[in-house]
Amino acid sequence: MDLAYIPSPSTGVIHLGPIPLRGYAFCIIIGVFVAVWLGNKRWIARGGTAGTVADIAVWAVPFGLVGGRLYHVITDYQLYFSEGENWVDAFKIWEGGLGIWGAIALGAVGAWIGCRRRGISLPVYADVIAPGIAFAQAIGRWGNWFNQELYGKPTDVPWALKITEGTNREAGLYHPTFLYESLWNVAVGFLVIWADRRFKLGHGRAFALYVAAYCSGRVWTEALRVDEAHHILGLRLNVWTAIVVGLLAVVYLVVSARLRPGREEIVEPRAAEKTAGKTDAVEGAGTTEVTEAADEAGTADTGGTAEDRADGPGDKTAGSEDEARETEGDGAGHGAGSAAKS
């Protein structure tokens, strides 16, 4: 008798009238929201403007969804194009099936388009958004729980996942690989945040660290899974993909650190130019105010305008001379009068 296990939801969809609300879709949407929210905070902290991350995500997210679905359909083509299968099911993304490798690859193309339109370097954007992607993956993995898919081997551990009978699955207790990978992704996100603060990672190295750390965890979680997959030399295709991509990320980390040490000072050139322009305007206004204040102070000290100062002394001298002539005239008049009377 099993006393402890993780139950699976009885259904992965709730109908609100004619509208189906799917748990898998909600997990993807919430993950994207968290990634954009955290990316925006990190972008502003690096000197960028609010809203830039979301503007670029408008390009990256749709490309990523298409890429993730394409990778899944191509690598598991037998589920859709073999005899007895309906190829239309390849478009039913709500039933699960998004390959992270394709999502990152094609999502990067969309991000590059968005960055190019804003005059931003793609590696800078990738560094900022990297931990958010890890957290988004952690949330998105719970969509597999709603769909009762991508679980691991049978087990009797207390945290085993209870799977019910369904299409292409047998009832029983299995390793909750969705939970393992979700927790691993949370740890990867915090690792990238810490390393970025500690070592000031730049030129795409924070993103490379995320890729390397994620791949190291994906190797062992993928090895536990029992769902149908292609094998190469006894290993699942996704295991080989994780090994190759992880090694490439490590190589990039080492080579990039040697060729381009440090990190970018400016993440959004246009925003930096606007800020510099405003600063110059403020400084110019301050200089003008200081000059005007000095002129006013000089005027107050000398008592009047320059014109007043030029005319003032002359007027006083002229007045004095006129008064002297009037005094002399009056004296002469009185003398002549006295002589006439005599």
Side-chain angles (χ1 to χ4, degrees):
M1 181 178 179
D2 299 308
L3 299 178
Y5 57 82
I6 300 174
S8 292
S10 57
T11 179
V13 57
I14 299 175
H15 287 84
L16 186 63
I19 303 175
L21 304 177
R22 303 181 184 278
Y24 186 87
F26 273 110
C27 290
I28 298 298
I29 293 171
I30 295 173
V32 170
F33 174 81
V34 169
V36 173
W37 171 79
L38 179 59
N40 183 65
K41 289 178 64 68
R42 286 170 52 81
W43 187 258
I44 293 174
R46 289 283 302 272
T49 57
T52 297
V53 170
D55 291 343
I56 298 175
V58 169
W59 289 90
V61 172
F63 273 73
L65 291 175
V66 172
R69 188 61 176 176
L70 280 175
Y71 180 88
H72 167 72
V73 172
I74 291 173
T75 56
D76 291 307
Y77 61 89
Q78 73 280 357
L79 300 177
Y80 308 101
F81 302 106
S82 59
E83 186 177 354
E85 302 293 344
N86 186 0
W87 63 270
V88 177
D89 292 342
F91 296 96
K92 296 179 180 179
I93 191 173
W94 55 87
E95 294 183 353
L98 288 175
I100 185 61
W101 317 112
I104 294 296
L106 207 55
V109 175
W112 175 79
I113 295 174
C115 288
R116 186 175 179 83
R117 290 167 60 88
R118 298 294 294 263
I120 294 170
S121 171
L122 178 60
V124 175
Y125 183 80
D127 283 341
V128 169
I129 203 70
I133 295 177
F135 293 138
Q137 286 180 257
I139 297 171
R141 272 306 177 197
W142 285 85
N144 302 134
W145 177 65
F146 280 103
N147 287 352
Q148 295 195 51
E149 60 185 1
L150 306 187
Y151 44 86
K153 299 175 182 178
T155 183
D156 57 356
V157 296
W159 56 86
L161 176 66
K162 185 176 182 180
I163 297 295
T164 60
E165 189 71 26
T167 305
N168 298 324
R169 69 173 185 254
E170 297 180 2
L173 298 176
Y174 300 88
H175 276 289
T177 51
F178 85 90
L179 178 60
Y180 298 160
E181 188 170 333
S182 179
L183 294 176
W184 183 266
N185 287 333
V186 170
V188 169
F190 283 115
L191 170 66
V192 174
I193 291 175
W194 170 82
D196 192 33
R197 290 178 178 175
R198 175 66 177 80
F199 303 105
K200 304 297 182 182
L201 301 176
H203 304 287
R205 288 189 288 277
F207 184 81
L209 175 61
Y210 145 72
V211 172
Y214 168 74
C215 289
S216 63
R218 182 62 184 267
V219 168
W220 64 268
T221 57
E222 184 73 22
L224 286 174
R225 284 167 48 173
V226 294
D227 54 298
E228 186 178 357
H230 295 287
H231 287 72
I232 300 176
L233 299 177
L235 295 178
R236 293 167 64 96
L237 175 60
N238 281 334
V239 172
W240 283 111
T241 304
I243 292 174
V244 173
V245 174
L247 289 176
L248 290 175
V250 172
V251 171
Y252 179 87
L253 269 171
V254 175
V255 174
S256 176
R258 291 181 178 179
L259 297 180
R260 307 184 70 183
R263 74 190 309 181
E264 302 86 347
E265 294 294 333
I266 298 176
V267 298
E268 193 168 357
R270 296 180 183 177
E273 292 175 359
K274 290 181 180 179
T275 302
K278 292 180 179 179
T279 302
D280 293 341
V282 171
E283 291 178 352
T287 302
T288 301
E289 292 175 358
V290 171
T291 303
E292 292 177 350
D295 291 343
E296 292 175 358
T299 300
D301 292 341
T302 55
T305 63
E307 184 177 355
D308 293 337
R309 291 193 300 272
D311 294 342
D315 292 341
K316 292 180 180 179
T317 303
S320 299
E321 293 177 352
D322 291 340
E323 290 176 359
R325 285 193 296 271
E326 290 176 359
T327 301
E328 293 175 356
D330 290 343
H334 286 302
S338 298
K341 288 180 182 180
S342 300

